[in-house]
Amino acid sequence: MIETVKVTEAQRKSRRGRNVALGLVLAALVVLFYIVTLIKIGGFAN
């Protein structure tokens, strides 16, 4: 038999905040890697 866990509203808000923060960090890393790649392959070189 599977038991389900009841999540309180405070826990739900906490999880959402953590998920949003993690998503922003991942998006920033993607942008950073993209910029570094462009620089390395000479996209912004003279």
Side-chain angles (χ1 to χ4, degrees):
M1 184 175 196
I2 297 174
E3 296 182 21
T4 58
V5 177
K6 301 291 183 191
V7 181
T8 66
E9 192 61 35
Q11 289 172 321
R12 194 172 290 128
K13 281 185 178 183
S14 177
R15 282 185 186 178
R16 176 149 176 84
R18 224 176 2 252
N19 288 339
V20 168
L22 185 58
L24 290 175
V25 168
L26 288 174
L29 281 173
V30 167
V31 170
L32 178 66
F33 291 154
Y34 180 72
I35 291 170
V36 168
T37 302
L38 285 179
I39 292 170
K40 280 191 164 208
I41 64 172
F44 293 111
N46 289 330

